[in-house]
Amino acid sequence: MTQNQTQTTQSNKIGNYLTFIVLVVMVLALAALFLAFETFIGGDIVTAGVLAGIGLISMSLSVFLLYQSRRATAAVKIDVPKVMTTVECQNKGCGNKIIREFQRGDYVFKDLETPCPKCGGKQMVTAIYKEVKEKEKTYAV
Amino acid sequence: MSFIPGSDSISQIISLGMYVFFIIFIFYGQRIQMYIMVREVENSLHKLRVIKDEGKKITIEAIKEIGKPTTDPTPRVERYLEYFTIGPQSMDPAGIVSKLDHILDTRDERLKEDVKLMAPQLIGNEVQINNLENTLEAAMALNYIYKVVRHFYIQGKKTLSLYVIMQLQMILPLVMKEAEAYASALKAFSYGQPIGDGVGPLIASKLMHGYEIRKVPKDCVAATVPFEGRTALVLKAEGPGGNVGKPGDAIETVIEENEGKIACLVMIDAGLKLEGEMVGEVAEGIGAAIGGPGVDQYKIEAKLTKYKIPNYAVIVKEDIGDAVSPMRKEINDAVDKAIDRVRDVVRERTKEGDKVIIVGVGNSIGVGQ
């Protein structure tokens, strides 16, 4: 058996243990909820509340664990950010600025062969940067 | 009197169940906790494997697209990904820097030669060779990260040690962040886009653009630029190919050319930010602002000490992810702020007519001069 196969078998074993435990907790939670309902009908509201609380907490915990262990195969993608190139006209009187998508072969301070659409002057790449602003969580400290 | 509380059978079953669970958790709580951690590590390992495989695919595609090889480069790429470098023996540390320097030079040459073998049509096109070499190095880093995480994961499971798994699980968020950064870098390198680490060379380029440029050893360029009434010798790694050069050698050469008559050295680099700091913040300090294995820093410090030249540093803050992925707008916008800071340093610390060296440290990918 290869190392990878061994690894998969072991991980399945662990997964099965966890699933078994979670399922037992789930059954107990259901029984607690059922009992809470019966106790409530019987008129003991306090005990019913305690049992319902235990049942709900156990149920949500087991659902969470089950969800956690089952999302392993979620698809993973490599994000390719949008990169922009700034092209500026070198004619000081014109100063035309174009921002377009990055093209292979662009680099900062590259003299472009295409003339400025406004004045026909020489154009140069002046900046290349990632456009997408990454959302950063801020913490009030 | 019954040991199991409750008046009916259902509540007795529940109470019994609770007892059983309580006992199970006393004896097996740690193991259950470990299984949950193993699951988390497994998920991350799965992601790492996908990122690593994708990295290899992107690299092979880039070689095929740019290098147009006649044979399939896959076996050679696979061999390349497994390359390792053995550091010098440090029992007797005297002379270790030159030994490390030699090993790193050999590694660099070997990797470049291999890229040429993978893409023979690129011989003579240093820009593309450097870009492909950088792409391969990013794929190599991803491969290594995956293998190390897998090693500790298997070891943890083999020994069923909570502490091995726990250590791995604790550092995983940082490892994943680095792996995602390298994955993002792969495309940037294969397309030749500037990366966050290139902010130093970008600033140097802005200063030297339009002036006569000459090559200095190794893989660097220099220009003599009038700057605030002083003469600035501006240095950077040669672009626009992916290249960090050897700023240590370049600075040594320029200082020796000027017989040590240099008023100060200003180094500009990307600096790692702490959480809570803003990307693109500019800060100023003292010392050699340069990363890497330390060879260049050693050479610079030795030469500066010999001639008693003060060393100032200006850094643009960013995190590890920003450093190896395409340059963020905030970093690009920080260039002018950093130049103003260099101006202040030079004006305040030197006299008119002095000679200063300004070095933009970092990877010159996507940055010309």
Side-chain angles (χ1 to χ4, degrees):
Chain A
M1 213 194 306
T2 63
Q3 195 183 42
N4 279 349
Q5 280 169 318
T6 321
Q7 212 176 301
T8 322
T9 324
Q10 277 182 352
S11 75
N12 285 344
K13 216 170 155 187
I14 289 172
N16 292 340
Y17 280 141
L18 261 181
T19 316
F20 175 71
I21 293 167
V22 168
L23 287 176
V24 172
V25 173
M26 226 176 215
V27 170
L28 284 170
L30 277 173
L33 286 172
F34 175 72
L35 208 64
F37 179 71
E38 271 207 329
T39 322
F40 180 74
I41 297 290
D44 189 354
I45 299 171
V46 179
T47 316
V50 171
L51 283 169
I54 293 171
L56 285 174
I57 290 169
S58 313
M59 182 63 91
S60 42
L61 273 176
S62 48
V63 168
F64 173 73
L65 274 176
L66 212 61
Y67 170 73
Q68 282 281 314
S69 60
R70 288 283 167 242
R71 64 182 185 132
T73 48
V76 186
K77 269 188 181 176
I78 296 175
D79 286 333
V80 181
K82 199 173 181 185
V83 177
M84 306 307 288
T85 299
T86 306
V87 176
E88 280 180 57
C89 178
Q90 293 307 289
N91 186 350
K92 278 180 185 168
C94 173
N96 187 36
K97 195 172 166 182
I98 301 164
I99 298 172
R100 59 160 169 81
E101 249 186 77
F102 176 86
Q103 289 165 7
R104 188 170 261 179
D106 282 355
Y107 61 85
V108 184
F109 298 116
K110 181 187 183 184
D111 289 317
L112 298 179
E113 282 171 15
T114 45
C116 170
K118 228 176 169 183
C119 70
K122 267 192 170 180
Q123 293 193 111
M124 192 174 72
V125 174
T126 52
I128 297 170
Y129 53 82
K130 187 162 64 174
E131 199 200 30
V132 191
K133 266 198 169 181
E134 275 152 37
K135 284 170 205 157
E136 269 181 33
K137 254 189 187 175
T138 49
Y139 299 91
V141 274
Chain B
M1 199 178 87
S2 168
F3 282 106
I4 304 164
S7 53
D8 54 47
S9 52
I10 295 179
S11 40
Q12 282 185 343
I13 291 168
I14 289 186
S15 302
L16 187 67
M18 293 297 178
Y19 279 131
V20 170
F21 259 83
F22 185 65
I23 293 163
I24 287 175
F25 275 95
I26 285 176
F27 291 105
Y28 295 101
Q30 204 183 52
R31 188 159 286 198
I32 292 166
Q33 197 185 351
M34 198 192 76
Y35 288 156
I36 292 167
M37 280 182 189
V38 163
R39 271 271 145 182
E40 277 182 47
V41 174
E42 226 166 64
N43 287 353
S44 301
L45 195 62
H46 166 73
K47 276 186 198 164
L48 279 176
R49 199 183 59 227
V50 174
I51 292 174
K52 175 206 72 149
D53 290 343
E54 190 68 19
K56 196 169 94 180
K57 208 176 102 192
I58 291 171
T59 310
I60 292 168
E61 275 169 10
I63 292 169
K64 283 181 179 167
E65 201 181 328
I66 304 167
K68 301 202 174 13
T70 46
T71 54
D72 183 18
T74 311
R76 197 166 273 277
V77 169
E78 274 164 4
R79 221 174 85 186
Y80 191 106
L81 294 182
E82 298 297 327
Y83 273 180
F84 56 87
T85 307
I86 300 168
Q89 179 51 255
S90 57
M91 272 195 298
D92 178 10
I96 197 167
V97 177
S98 51
K99 286 186 216 165
L100 182 59
D101 194 20
H102 171 65
I103 288 170
L104 293 174
D105 280 349
T106 312
R107 178 185 184 269
D108 194 41
E109 275 165 33
R110 172 77 202 267
L111 296 186
K112 271 205 174 86
E113 288 303 318
D114 257 38
V115 174
K116 285 175 190 165
L117 285 172
M118 283 179 216
Q121 290 201 359
L122 289 182
I123 293 172
N125 187 347
E126 283 300 311
V127 172
Q128 291 292 11
I129 288 173
N130 285 341
N131 288 354
L132 276 185
E133 193 197 344
N134 279 211
T135 312
L136 277 157
E137 290 219 36
M140 211 190 223
L142 284 172
N143 189 48
Y144 185 69
I145 291 173
Y146 169 72
K147 280 171 52 171
V148 171
V149 172
R150 187 183 62 182
H151 166 77
F152 285 109
Y153 164 74
I154 295 174
Q155 201 176 51
K157 272 177 58 171
K158 261 187 186 170
T159 55
L160 280 181
S161 161
L162 174 71
Y163 301 100
V164 174
I165 291 289
M166 200 189 253
Q167 286 183 63
L168 184 57
Q169 191 249 1
M170 283 194 290
I171 58 156
L172 259 182
L174 302 175
V175 173
M176 293 306 291
K177 198 176 170 189
E178 205 169 323
E180 277 157 19
Y182 277 118
S184 168
L186 275 163
K187 283 273 176 194
F189 287 139
S190 66
Y191 290 156
Q193 294 165 342
I195 56 169
D197 184 47
V199 69
L202 182 60
I203 292 165
S205 281
K206 274 215 165 178
L207 293 173
M208 65 166 58
H209 186 68
Y211 294 92
E212 195 189 326
I213 286 159
R214 65 190 169 98
K215 291 192 179 192
V216 282
K218 192 190 165 193
D219 299 333
C220 287
V221 286
T224 307
V225 176
F227 190 74
E228 298 295 310
R230 286 82 172 159
T231 304
L233 302 154
V234 185
L235 296 170
K236 74 178 269 287
E238 191 176 5
N243 169 37
V244 289
K246 291 183 83 175
D249 290 358
I251 292 168
E252 272 186 339
T253 308
V254 173
I255 291 176
E256 286 303 336
E257 277 173 3
N258 290 278
E259 293 157 345
K261 286 169 191 150
I262 300 290
C264 78
L265 165 70
V266 184
M267 298 182 78
I268 312 153
D269 196 4
L272 274 188
K273 77 175 185 78
L274 298 172
E275 289 298 343
E277 288 182 318
M278 299 297 287
V279 174
E281 242 179 59
V282 178
E284 187 191 321
I286 306 286
I290 188 164
V295 174
D296 287 288
Q297 188 174 357
Y298 175 87
K299 285 179 185 173
I300 295 164
E301 285 166 354
K303 199 53 81 180
L304 295 181
T305 310
K306 182 181 171 192
Y307 291 107
K308 300 274 177 272
I309 301 167
N311 184 189
Y312 305 112
V314 171
I315 58 162
V316 178
K317 293 188 179 176
E318 53 194 75
D319 71 21
I320 179 78
D322 300 322
V324 292
S325 58
M327 189 178 283
R328 279 172 69 159
K329 192 168 188 306
E330 295 92 322
I331 299 171
N332 186 65
D333 293 345
V335 168
D336 290 331
K337 278 188 272 175
I339 291 176
D340 287 343
R341 196 61 77 89
V342 173
R343 261 184 231 288
D344 290 345
V345 171
V346 170
R347 264 202 308 256
E348 288 163 11
R349 305 280 160 216
T350 61
K351 295 189 294 286
E352 277 195 29
D354 280 348
K355 265 187 184 170
V356 298
I357 299 177
I358 299 171
V359 191
V361 180
N363 194 323
S364 260
I365 190 161
V367 182
Q369 48 269 330

